[in-house]
């Protein structure tokens, strides 16, 4: 490489500068962009990829270099994300041309790894006009295509991806080596001659002709059949979203009794036909990240798609195959759900797919390129005109969060549900893709595999591992066998710290963390925490009133138990006299046994969880007494709430926040026949008012105006939207999670930030730092 650089020398009197560009600058067409920019400005030198970024050396007149450097930021490729450009004067060497030189692996520093990118408009045009890529379903260029899902190591070159077995034909090689071509150094570049191919497995037949494959898949879907399709980050399962029988069959075969299915629409016009679509939601749908976006339903698909909810999880095509399919399908939408059984990780292996998914699907569509890094579809919603990520995976991971803290050598194990782990590199926190619920062997194996791959890929040598205080979480157990220095962090403090880290806050805030469960330092179940805290520690300022949860964890699947417990707390045994549907449906003998267990404190842990309060109200209103999936009861309660209701119920607060008056008034409204939509809205407004009252008092007493809202309960759009606006209207600076999930999928970021802060000030995380109000 040095010989090449030296050979470019030409004596002149121009100044020289060396640029080191960090951020997401590999796999996004950055080097050819620099090359073309240098030619446009008439300057000479070289550009190279290194594992710690892109390095450029340029020579030219001072004004030329100034404009060139400005244009790097102003005109950078769409999917790139420049975090830093370090510019320094260098010795002039007299270059007489500008070239791209071979990648160098120079240190343990790394550059960002690009997430997978939806197919671009240029490639969709090429799909119909390039003779060697006519309808070729793996078309891509430097601006689009698979990235993270195929990357095995850095720097990002073809031989370090799962494209390595596919030897480029002469035509692709010429494009790959032509710096003025859009496919210059596009590592997954391929065509119908030399690239990956699809194969359809149907009964005992294996079809390899792509045109026939397309016709067969179209025919299967149109006739109400189910097809498993290998996507970018794993297999997905498809059927006609308007066919009731097909959707119900899929739900039955997949053992997905209640959870809504995601839907892929043919185009944005089809989305508009079936949903209420606002500009920010449209922007998210059409972005290169292509998440599933939760939208309000306008026209119904098959009833089994949303299963009683008035929302649709919508996405648009992002692979060439999707476009080719809809072109021939003639349907406005298909169900496209994760290719797995129940709660296991999404399938990525062809052989496993043929064995396992053939139990669900009538045909399995595979291709012969390996998926190295599994990624589910990401999920987002838009609240108050901001995109909020609910599940962070394809299109987002492993993009880092840039911090003001040194997190080098720290790793965070995350929580139990919707797990993501996080690793620290320099001042970057790198969150894993969505792992899932660590409650079965398959998901735990995926977690461990991804953890070790991240350490290798990002050159991390861990010294400290952070874990939740819950001793039985599998993530905690994993952390404790790693032979690293351990830091245990309280669950809700980690939630608040996650939001603080996303916004680079490092000061005292009022932290509001509402969720379903978290291990408290008093050995009770927390989940309604209002903290005065910073990254180093917290004071528990207030919380909801404790209530026993009869049956322990069983309450998450049987919300009627929590509803029973709240009624018993408020009315005693007199609740049996309440003439409401919920009480009438209870098995009195069974319930008396449960009430005795509550009185004797047998398997009835105390909880102040916001999630369990929502469960209880949902049950008491007889909306959801038995759940079929996680958080169903609060979700159905929210879905019912009327957006026009401003009224609320009374509550009490002092040492704790009590909703006993709320429960009494809800019961009275049920007796009076008030519509459930109104009752739900009033309840949501009551929770909002309770949080607002306590946070307002905290501001008065502590002179803090920055408030953080986090935790899984803030996935509730009704609550988040109204509370955020209310707080801002009286001068609070409100911080919410946008790019990182507010649920447990974001908790590892907070764990990492807390450990980094403690290390920087030389303190340990001790219970003595925690003060109960």
């Amino acid at each position: 490489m040095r010989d090449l650089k030296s050979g470019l020398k030409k004596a002149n009197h121009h100044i020289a500068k060396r640029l080191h560009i960090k951020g997401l600058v590999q796999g996004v067409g950055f080097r050819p962009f620099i090359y073309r920019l240098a030619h446009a400005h008439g300057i000479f030198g070289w550009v190279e990829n290194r594992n710690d970024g892109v390095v450029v050396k340029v020579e030219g007149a001072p004004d030329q270099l100034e404009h060139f450097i400005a244009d790097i930021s102003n005109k950078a490729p769409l999917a790139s994300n420049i975090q830093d450009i370090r510019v320094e004067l260098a010795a002039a060497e007299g270059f007489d041309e500008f070239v791209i030189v071979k990648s160098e692996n120079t240190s343990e520093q790394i550059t960002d790894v690009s997430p997978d990118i939806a197919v671009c408009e240029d490639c969709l045009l090429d799909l119909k006009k390039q003779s060697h890529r006519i309808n070729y379903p793996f078309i891509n260029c430097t601006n689009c295509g698979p990235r993270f899902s195929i990357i095995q190591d850095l720097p990002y070159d073809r031989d370090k991806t799962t494209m390595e077995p596919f030897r480029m034909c002469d035509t692709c090689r010429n494009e790959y080596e032509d710096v003025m071509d859009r496919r210059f150094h596009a590592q997954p570049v391929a065509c119908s001659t030399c690239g990956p191919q699809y194969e359809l497995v149907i009964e005992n037949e294996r079809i390899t002709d792509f045109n026939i494959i397309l016709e067969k898949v179209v025919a299967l879907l149109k006739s109400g059949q189910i097809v498993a399709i290998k996507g970018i980050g794993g297999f997905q399962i498809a059927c006609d979203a308007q066919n009731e029988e097909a959707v119900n069959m899929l739900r039955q075969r997949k053992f997905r009794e209640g959870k809504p299915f995601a839907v892929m629409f043919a185009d944005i016009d089809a989305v508009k036909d079936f949903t209420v679509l606002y500009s920010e939601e449209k922007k998210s749908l059409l972005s290169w990240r292509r998440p599933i976006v939760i939208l309000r339903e306008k026209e119904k698909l098959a009833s089994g798609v949303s299963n009683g909810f008035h929302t649709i999880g919508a996405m648009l095509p992002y692979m060439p195959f999707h476009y080719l399919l809809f072109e021939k399908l003639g349907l406005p939408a298909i169900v496209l759900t994760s290719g797995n059984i129940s709660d296991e990780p999404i399938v990525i292996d062809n052989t496993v797919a043929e064995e396992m998914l053939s139990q669900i699907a009538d045909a399995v569509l595979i291709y012969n390129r390996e998926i190295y890094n599994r990624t589910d579809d990401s999920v987002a919603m838009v609240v108050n005109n901001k995109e909020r990520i609910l599940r962070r995976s394809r299109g987002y991971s492993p993009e880092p969060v840039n911090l003001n803290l040194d997190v080098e050598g720290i790793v965070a194990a995350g929580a139990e549900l919707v797990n993501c782990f996080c690793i620290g590199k320099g001042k970057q926190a790198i969150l894993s893709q969505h792992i899932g619920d660590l409650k079965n062997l398959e998901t735990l194996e995926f977690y461990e595999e991804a953890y070790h791959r991240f350490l290798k890929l990002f050159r991390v040598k861990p010294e400290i591992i952070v874990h939740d205080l819950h001793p039985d979480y599998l993530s905690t157990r994993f952390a404790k066998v790693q032979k690293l220095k351990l830091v245990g962090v309280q669950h809700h403090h980690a939630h608040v710290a996650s939001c603080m880290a996303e916004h680079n806050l490092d000061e005292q805030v009022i932290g509001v963390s509402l969720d379903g469960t978290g291990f408290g330092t008093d050995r009770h179940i927390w989940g309604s925490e209002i903290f005065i805290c910073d990254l180093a520690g917290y004071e528990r300022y207030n919380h909801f009133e404790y209530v026993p949860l009869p049956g322990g964890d069983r309450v998450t699947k049987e919300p009627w138990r929590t509803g029973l417990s709240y009624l018993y707390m408020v009315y005693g045994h007199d609740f049996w006299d309440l003439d409401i549907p919920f009480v009438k449906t209870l098995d009195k003998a069974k319930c008396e046994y449960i009430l005795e267990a509550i009185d004797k404190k047998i398997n009835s842990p105390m909880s102040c969880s916001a999630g369990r309060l929502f469960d209880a109200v949902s049950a008491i209103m007889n909306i959801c007494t038995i759940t079929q999936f996680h958080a169903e009861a609060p979700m159905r309660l929210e879905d019912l709430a009327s957006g026009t209701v401003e009224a609320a119920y009374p509550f009490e607060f002092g040492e704790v926040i009590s909703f006993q008056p709320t429960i009494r008034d809800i019961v009275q409204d049920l007796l009076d026949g008030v519509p459930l939509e109104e009752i739900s809205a009033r309840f949501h407004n009551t929770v909002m008012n309770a949080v607002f009252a306590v946070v307002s008092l905290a501001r008065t007493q502590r002179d803090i105006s920055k408030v953080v809202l986090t935790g899984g309960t803030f996935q509730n759009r009704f609550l988040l939207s109204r509370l955020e606006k209310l707080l801002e209207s009286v001068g609070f600076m409100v911080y919410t999670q946008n790019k990182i999930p507010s649920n447990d999928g974001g908790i590892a970021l907070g764990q990492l930030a807390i450990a980094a802060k403690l290390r920087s000030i030389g303190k340990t995380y001790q219970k003595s730092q925690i003060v109960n109000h």
Side-chain angles (χ1 to χ4, degrees):
M1 186 185 71
R2 294 198 173 278
D3 291 341
L4 174 58
K5 293 176 190 173
S6 301
L8 301 174
K9 294 180 184 179
K10 179 181 178 182
N12 59 45
H13 301 292
H14 288 164
I15 66 167
K17 289 190 177 181
R18 183 182 186 276
L19 285 61
H20 189 178
I21 307 167
K22 291 187 174 183
L24 179 47
V25 289
Q26 288 191 6
V28 291
F30 207 86
R31 285 180 299 170
F33 157 70
I34 293 289
Y35 178 93
R36 289 189 285 270
L37 199 62
H39 275 259
H41 286 278
I43 58 179
F44 303 138
W46 49 263
V47 57
E48 71 171 331
N49 258 353
R50 294 185 182 177
N51 51 338
D52 60 345
V54 167
V55 177
V56 185
K57 185 169 183 182
V58 283
E59 295 181 0
D63 60 332
Q64 286 178 302
L65 299 190
E66 184 180 336
H67 292 132
F68 166 76
I69 293 167
D71 276 352
I72 292 175
S73 295
N74 295 335
K75 299 179 179 180
L78 181 66
S80 67
N81 183 10
I82 298 171
Q83 294 302 327
D84 181 52
I85 303 179
R86 187 168 298 173
V87 182
E88 56 188 35
L89 284 170
E93 299 183 61
F95 301 132
D96 59 3
E97 60 178 324
F98 193 93
V99 298
I100 296 174
V101 297
K102 184 175 171 61
S103 300
E104 244 188 32
N105 188 341
T106 57
S107 71
E108 290 299 297
Q109 295 299 309
I110 51 96
T111 187
D112 294 0
V113 172
S114 170
D116 299 298
I117 305 170
V119 61
C120 68
E121 293 296 327
D122 289 332
C123 280
L124 291 175
L125 291 174
D126 288 348
L127 203 58
K128 299 301 176 185
K129 67 182 185 182
Q130 285 192 337
S131 59
H132 58 306
R133 293 196 180 94
I134 296 294
N135 291 344
Y136 178 60
F138 296 94
I139 193 168
N140 66 85
C141 69
T142 53
N143 300 319
C144 72
R147 297 292 190 272
F148 174 61
S149 60
I150 64 170
I151 288 175
Q152 297 166 316
D153 203 356
L154 292 176
Y156 174 58
D157 287 318
R158 191 179 181 102
D159 64 351
K160 292 182 175 63
T161 76
T162 59
M163 282 298 297
E164 189 273 335
F166 299 94
R167 186 172 181 177
M168 280 182 265
C169 65
D170 290 344
T171 306
C172 286
R173 173 65 64 183
N174 289 337
E175 293 170 326
Y176 182 86
E177 293 176 350
D178 180 358
V179 73
M180 300 308 288
D181 194 284
R182 204 176 76 254
R183 293 184 174 85
F184 174 75
H185 282 205
Q187 305 308 335
V189 68
C191 71
S192 54
T193 302
C194 64
Q197 302 291 335
Y198 277 103
E199 184 177 10
L200 183 66
V201 183
I202 177 168
E203 294 176 344
N204 295 321
E205 190 180 3
R206 304 184 80 91
I207 303 169
T208 56
D209 184 305
F210 183 69
N211 291 323
I212 298 174
I213 286 172
L214 207 52
E215 289 172 9
K216 282 274 190 183
V217 172
V218 166
L220 286 164
L221 292 174
K222 279 189 168 183
S223 64
Q225 303 293 297
I226 298 167
V227 182
I229 300 170
K230 190 173 182 179
I232 284 183
F235 278 83
Q236 295 165 310
I237 303 175
C239 72
D240 179 359
Q242 293 179 298
N243 187 317
E244 291 280 4
E245 191 176 331
V247 172
N248 291 336
M249 180 61 73
L250 174 55
R251 193 169 287 285
Q252 182 182 327
R253 291 182 186 175
K254 201 170 184 284
F255 306 111
R256 191 180 172 118
E257 293 177 356
K259 201 170 185 180
F261 285 130
V263 176
M264 179 173 280
F265 287 90
D267 51 38
I268 199 71
D269 289 333
V271 177
K272 290 176 182 176
D273 289 341
F274 286 89
T275 72
V276 179
L277 185 66
Y278 294 102
S279 59
E280 282 302 313
E281 292 166 331
K282 180 180 177 182
K283 184 178 173 183
S284 288
L285 280 170
L286 290 169
S287 75
W288 62 265
R289 300 180 190 274
R290 283 294 200 278
I292 297 167
V293 182
I294 309 298
L295 304 175
R296 199 72 185 169
E297 179 186 70
K298 184 166 72 177
E299 295 291 334
K300 286 200 174 293
L301 295 163
S303 60
V305 171
S306 295
N307 208 23
F309 288 94
H310 296 91
T311 52
I312 297 174
M315 61 179 149
L316 288 172
Y318 54 85
M319 293 177 71
F321 177 80
H322 297 149
Y323 286 91
L324 294 169
L325 178 65
F326 277 112
E327 192 179 281
K328 294 186 176 293
L329 192 57
L331 298 174
I334 58 173
V335 165
L336 200 65
T337 188
S338 55
N340 61 351
I341 301 289
S342 192
D343 293 325
E344 292 181 10
I346 187 171
V347 174
I348 59 172
D349 180 82
N350 289 345
T351 304
V352 174
E354 288 183 45
E355 292 173 359
M356 183 186 294
L357 300 185
S358 60
Q359 301 170 40
I360 301 172
D362 300 293
V364 179
L365 181 60
I366 63 176
Y367 58 75
N368 59 343
R369 182 183 67 212
E370 181 190 353
I371 296 171
Y372 189 72
N373 295 302
R374 178 188 277 111
T375 54
D376 290 83
D377 288 321
S378 295
V379 182
M381 65 180 182
V382 174
V383 177
N384 294 343
N385 293 316
K386 296 179 209 167
E387 182 185 80
R388 325 279 181 143
I389 302 302
L390 305 179
R391 183 169 74 194
R392 188 176 184 272
S393 204
R394 179 189 52 76
Y396 295 85
S397 180
E399 191 172 329
V401 179
N402 293 288
L403 306 174
N404 293 328
L405 291 164
D406 177 15
V407 291
E408 184 71 41
I410 304 175
V411 294
E416 180 96 326
L417 299 178
V418 293
N419 178 277
C420 292
F421 60 82
C422 190
I423 65 172
K425 187 70 179 177
K427 290 188 174 182
Q428 290 189 325
I430 305 168
L431 277 160
S432 74
Q433 69 272 48
H434 168 77
I435 302 292
D437 297 350
L438 297 183
K439 288 190 170 182
N440 60 57
L441 178 62
E442 293 82 5
T443 309
L444 182 61
E445 287 173 347
F446 169 35
Y447 174 86
E448 293 179 351
E449 174 190 75
Y451 171 80
H452 291 295
R453 285 183 176 181
F454 265 60
L455 295 186
K456 177 176 180 285
L457 181 63
F458 296 105
R459 318 294 205 267
V460 170
K461 296 176 180 176
E463 300 168 0
I464 298 170
I465 189 163
V466 199
H467 62 84
D468 193 275
L469 292 181
H470 199 301
D472 295 329
Y473 279 0
L474 291 181
S475 55
T476 301
R477 294 180 182 181
F478 172 81
K480 289 183 175 180
V481 298
Q482 296 308 305
K483 297 180 181 177
L484 300 170
K485 181 181 176 183
L486 290 166
V487 176
V489 169
Q490 201 281 325
H491 188 89
H492 302 96
H493 187 205
H495 266 308
V496 176
S498 176
C499 188
M500 291 176 70
E502 181 179 340
H503 295 282
N504 272 311
L505 294 174
D506 188 5
E507 61 196 275
Q508 272 210 333
V509 299
I510 303 168
V512 181
S513 180
L514 306 183
D515 67 1
T517 185
F519 189 83
T521 54
D522 58 3
R523 304 197 70 80
H524 294 323
I525 299 168
W526 291 7
S528 56
E529 308 314 306
I530 300 175
F531 289 160
I532 306 297
C533 67
D534 54 24
L535 293 177
Y538 66 92
E539 171 194 340
R540 195 182 190 200
Y541 183 77
N542 215 318
H543 57 86
F544 295 177
E545 185 175 17
Y546 280 115
V547 63
L549 300 181
D553 284 347
R554 290 182 68 179
V555 298
T556 60
K557 296 185 184 297
E558 301 176 19
W560 65 266
R561 290 172 174 268
T562 313
L564 173 70
S565 186
Y566 266 92
L567 289 180
Y568 186 51
M569 179 173 70
V570 174
Y571 295 97
H573 285 282
D574 291 345
F575 81 85
W576 287 117
D577 299 330
L578 298 173
D579 187 22
I580 58 174
F582 171 64
V583 173
K584 290 179 180 179
T585 62
L586 293 173
D587 180 331
K588 190 166 185 179
K590 183 177 181 179
C591 287
E592 288 294 351
Y593 173 77
I594 289 172
L595 296 178
E596 185 181 358
I598 289 175
D599 290 338
K600 293 181 177 179
K601 298 180 172 57
I602 299 170
N603 193 25
S604 299
M606 300 300 289
S607 168
C608 64
S609 157
R612 298 296 79 79
L613 172 65
F614 277 77
D615 278 354
V617 172
S618 188
I620 291 167
M621 291 173 64
N622 220 34
I623 295 167
C624 182
T625 57
I626 300 289
T627 65
Q628 296 173 312
F629 60 90
H630 176 67
E632 180 181 6
M635 286 171 65
R636 293 203 180 277
L637 185 64
E638 177 201 355
D639 190 70
L640 202 62
S642 168
T644 60
V645 174
E646 300 298 329
Y649 295 117
F651 63 92
E652 297 171 349
F653 82 96
E655 290 295 308
V656 297
I657 304 162
S658 174
F659 290 98
Q660 292 195 39
T662 311
I663 299 295
R664 286 185 178 274
D665 278 25
I666 286 173
V667 168
Q668 190 58 54
D669 275 355
L670 290 169
L671 292 169
D672 293 344
V674 175
L676 295 182
E677 294 82 357
E678 187 173 332
I679 296 174
S680 176
R682 285 183 180 179
F683 167 69
H684 280 81
N685 290 336
T686 306
V687 175
M688 174 189 73
N689 290 345
V691 173
F692 177 75
V694 177
V695 166
S696 298
L697 180 63
R699 175 167 68 173
T700 301
Q701 291 182 341
R702 303 301 178 87
D703 194 26
I704 303 170
S705 291
K706 291 185 177 180
V707 59
V708 165
L709 306 180
T710 184
T713 300
F714 286 111
Q715 294 174 115
N716 183 313
R717 293 189 291 178
F718 189 107
L719 179 64
L720 175 59
S721 173
R722 292 192 171 198
L723 181 56
E724 186 176 50
K725 287 176 182 176
L726 178 60
L727 289 166
E728 288 176 342
S729 72
V730 295
F732 279 100
M733 295 177 67
V734 183
Y735 296 88
T736 57
Q737 301 212 259
N738 306 328
K739 296 178 181 179
I740 304 299
S742 64
N743 58 43
D744 283 5
I747 223 166
L749 173 62
Q751 292 174 338
L752 192 85
I754 289 168
K757 181 64 179 179
L758 291 169
R759 182 174 67 176
S760 72
I761 60 176
K763 288 189 176 181
T764 56
Y765 199 79
Q766 297 172 337
K767 290 183 183 179
S768 61
Q769 292 176 254
I770 301 161
V771 182
N772 282 307
H773 179 69

